[in-house]
Amino acid sequence: MPQTTPYSSKFNPSTYSSNHSHRQPVEENYGGLHYRDNKLVSGSLEALIQLLVPTVDYYPDRSYIFTFLLTSRLFLHPFELMSRVCYLCVDHHRVGDPQTDKVILYHQITTLLTVTKCYFWLELRMDNRMLTAMQRLIQRLLRKLTTLGQYEESLATSSATAAAMDRPLALKSKQQLVRRDECVLNLCDDPFVFAQQLTHIEMERLSYIGPEEFVRAFAKKRPSDNHKSFFSKRKASNLEAYVEWFNRLSYLIATEICMPVKKKHRARVLEFFIDVAQECFNIGNFNSLMAIITGMNMNPVSRLKKTWNKVNTDKFDILVHQMDPSSNFYSYRTALRGATQRSSTAHTSQEMIVIPFFSLLIKDIYFLNEGCVNRLPNGHINFEKFWELAKQVSEFLSWRQVICPFERDRKTLQYLISAPVFSEDELQLASYESEGPENNMERDTRRSLRSSLSRM
């Protein structure tokens, strides 16, 4: 039987794409599995599960294990998968071969860990110290789960704190707000350092996102799922927290620009954030770059024509073009490929940094999942789809493993995480207070905003 084609940690799909277009692909079937050019493309659920179970003369390929465990949640509950694999292991155990017993014991324990938490395959040598190695593996998993739990608790705490601090700021005088200690230009006036601190936050939040969260976010809950189970209780909270961070950063940028009373001060803040955006692009931090551009393109900011007229926007126009959504974000995707290539040949940690525009990454994975069926008309699992899902998630994993090399600026980091920001209405009112309404409709809007916010 053909072996599943291995791939590197970044999963190069060229092994099964158009490199065979000059001839008819070779189609083969083996025991409920369908191959094309020696690449597994589909199979029955039972046959795919059997491929997980090692025997004396067969050991599952790591790429297959990664892909199956990542995507099996779409059509099989993890506990069901664990039960089926354990049953197959016990069935093999009846053979009575001592070597087979060791393989099965190893597989049973690691499957329990991997299926329950998608804690993907770790290579351990099979020797007499196997149980000690397994104990170390369990301890590592417990430490990882503890760290993750502490991070998620901190997210909940910080969200509650931010909600308490995000009171109606527009009720205060703008002069008082400008003179607050944590004003961005008072804290940090170096765009490169500011971009580094943004990168710290981005990379920390990326590091806590598990690969299974991408798939779990799109998996449909079934009536048979136990509402008290571990998996049903957990949500893709780290994904949601990361998207919320993007939104917060966008509103923080807009708040800082709309806050100053004097036009020259607003222009300074605009210029500063344009430089920060440029540094984010140079670093490879596309998520912060897009958040900054989004904040600057909000209507309360974009309408400040007198402020924009005092700023040289050439650099900003280039950055906006880089993140232009036309042609399915062609310019951004080109820049991302360049950053990925730089990362793959990097000699320093800074050159290895790739932080994708995260909402687009999620969108890509979502549409890949929705646009391709999980099961083919013959009942087979569409594994060709899952190879592609694994490719995208595997690339993300390589990005999140990079350690941020920059020195931390605690005051700036604290400010970015906890500084109050204007709501949408507060931003609009602050914009009108900075540069007055231009027509009757805007004057009516300002009057309405003043009235509604004063009652809060």
Side-chain angles (χ1 to χ4, degrees):
M1 181 180 72
Q3 298 295 306
T4 53
T5 305
Y7 58 82
S8 67
S9 61
K10 293 190 177 180
F11 191 95
N12 186 349
S14 61
T15 56
Y16 66 97
S17 57
S18 60
N19 56 343
H20 297 297
S21 59
H22 63 283
R23 60 176 175 79
Q24 284 292 107
V26 178
E27 307 278 349
E28 300 173 285
N29 291 281
Y30 295 88
L33 300 170
H34 179 61
Y35 291 82
R36 183 183 303 119
D37 291 322
N38 207 39
K39 183 74 181 182
L40 177 63
V41 295
S42 70
S44 66
L45 181 58
E46 292 73 16
L48 293 173
I49 293 176
Q50 285 185 358
L51 283 182
L52 287 175
V53 180
T55 63
V56 175
D57 55 0
Y58 164 76
Y59 199 82
D61 185 84
R62 290 190 65 199
S63 64
Y64 176 77
I65 295 173
F66 177 89
T67 303
F68 188 86
L69 292 181
L70 174 67
T71 56
S72 62
R73 177 73 163 135
L74 292 171
F75 48 85
L76 184 70
H77 194 286
F79 297 139
E80 293 179 50
L81 175 60
M82 180 180 66
S83 176
R84 294 198 191 191
V85 170
C86 287
Y87 175 82
L88 289 172
C89 289
V90 171
D91 191 52
H92 285 200
H93 180 73
R94 297 190 182 113
V95 175
D97 188 321
Q99 181 63 26
T100 304
D101 291 346
K102 294 174 66 178
V103 172
I104 290 175
L105 178 59
Y106 169 72
H107 187 80
Q108 284 178 320
I109 297 175
T110 51
T111 298
L112 177 63
L113 297 175
T114 53
V115 175
T116 303
K117 183 58 185 168
C118 285
Y119 191 70
F120 299 99
W121 207 261
L122 298 176
E123 293 185 21
L124 298 173
R125 294 186 62 83
M126 299 301 298
D127 54 27
N128 293 331
R129 295 173 296 175
M130 182 185 64
L131 292 178
T132 302
M134 288 302 173
Q135 186 178 29
R136 291 199 300 269
L137 176 61
I138 294 172
Q139 290 172 348
R140 288 180 60 188
L141 176 59
L142 289 175
R143 287 197 297 268
K144 181 179 179 68
L145 291 174
T146 300
T147 302
L148 180 60
Q150 291 172 345
Y151 170 71
E152 292 177 344
E153 286 178 7
S154 71
L155 283 180
T157 302
S158 62
S159 296
T161 302
M165 296 181 68
D166 285 343
R167 55 194 179 277
L169 299 181
L171 300 181
K172 297 184 177 181
S173 70
K174 294 181 67 182
Q175 291 82 359
Q176 180 183 356
L177 286 171
V178 166
R179 288 197 294 268
R180 68 184 188 183
D181 293 336
E182 67 270 23
C183 183
V184 62
L185 291 179
N186 293 335
L187 279 175
C188 178
D189 59 0
D190 186 333
F192 184 47
V193 173
F194 198 87
Q196 290 177 337
Q197 305 316 303
L198 288 173
T199 303
H200 264 296
I201 296 174
E202 299 278 0
M203 297 186 72
E204 179 183 25
R205 294 186 178 235
L206 277 182
S207 70
Y208 285 105
I209 297 175
E212 79 283 359
E213 290 191 62
F214 290 100
V215 177
R216 193 184 336 127
F218 307 135
K220 294 180 174 61
K221 182 175 175 63
R222 300 180 302 167
S224 60
D225 287 350
N226 183 356
H227 71 282
K228 295 182 179 181
S229 70
F230 174 78
F231 278 93
S232 62
K233 284 183 179 181
R234 296 178 58 83
K235 299 179 180 178
S237 57
N238 296 323
L239 290 179
E240 295 166 359
Y242 196 41
V243 173
E244 289 172 3
W245 153 250
F246 177 94
N247 294 333
R248 170 181 169 75
L249 180 56
S250 298
Y251 274 83
L252 179 62
I253 300 302
T255 298
E256 288 290 346
I257 295 171
C258 291
M259 195 185 303
V261 175
K262 294 184 178 180
K263 179 171 54 180
K264 66 178 181 180
H265 291 162
R266 293 196 299 273
R268 281 183 57 206
V269 175
L270 263 176
E271 291 171 342
F272 173 75
F273 282 123
I274 290 173
D275 289 338
V276 171
Q278 179 65 62
E279 295 298 344
C280 286
F281 179 84
N282 294 340
I283 290 172
N285 181 357
F286 297 104
N287 202 58
S288 290
L289 167 62
M290 191 61 174
I292 294 172
I293 292 175
T294 300
M296 289 184 171
N297 282 333
M298 288 182 180
N299 181 66
V301 178
S302 62
R303 67 170 299 276
L304 300 175
K305 298 177 182 177
K306 295 177 182 179
T307 303
W308 282 98
N309 287 338
K310 295 182 69 67
V311 176
N312 184 340
T313 61
D314 291 346
K315 189 186 300 183
F316 180 68
D317 293 338
I318 294 173
L319 293 171
V320 169
H321 173 73
Q322 289 289 344
M323 305 303 289
D324 186 352
S326 63
S327 300
N328 193 22
F329 286 89
Y330 175 80
S331 297
Y332 159 70
R333 294 183 191 278
T334 301
L336 180 64
R337 284 195 299 271
T340 301
Q341 184 175 7
R342 178 188 67 183
S343 177
S344 64
T345 59
H347 300 290
T348 65
S349 296
Q350 182 172 337
E351 293 175 329
M352 295 175 65
I353 295 174
V354 180
I355 303 174
F357 173 28
F358 196 67
S359 294
L360 183 60
L361 174 65
I362 294 177
K363 179 181 175 182
D364 287 344
I365 295 176
Y366 174 80
F367 281 111
L368 173 60
N369 179 55
E370 292 296 312
C372 301
V373 297
N374 289 341
R375 290 185 183 270
L376 302 177
N378 64 357
H380 276 198
I381 303 298
N382 182 9
F383 216 76
E384 198 166 23
K385 164 187 174 176
F386 298 143
W387 285 129
E388 182 61 28
L389 279 172
K391 165 198 165 185
Q392 295 196 25
V393 175
S394 180
E395 191 168 48
F396 165 80
L397 292 180
S398 69
W399 295 335
R400 75 162 195 174
Q401 290 170 358
V402 178
I403 304 299
C404 189
F406 305 124
E407 184 177 351
R408 289 178 176 269
D409 183 332
R410 293 190 177 277
K411 288 186 177 180
T412 302
L413 287 171
Q414 183 63 30
Y415 169 79
L416 285 168
I417 294 171
S418 61
V421 298
F422 284 136
S423 68
E424 189 171 348
D425 285 347
E426 291 165 347
L427 277 175
Q428 197 66 50
L429 180 57
S431 178
Y432 287 139
E433 298 294 344
S434 296
E435 295 186 18
E438 296 182 349
N439 52 53
N440 289 334
M441 181 179 294
E442 289 191 346
R443 279 188 282 273
D444 290 343
T445 301
R446 182 176 66 174
R447 189 180 305 113
S448 175
L449 288 171
R450 282 176 171 175
S451 175
S452 62
L453 291 173
S454 66
R455 293 195 297 268
M456 294 180 65

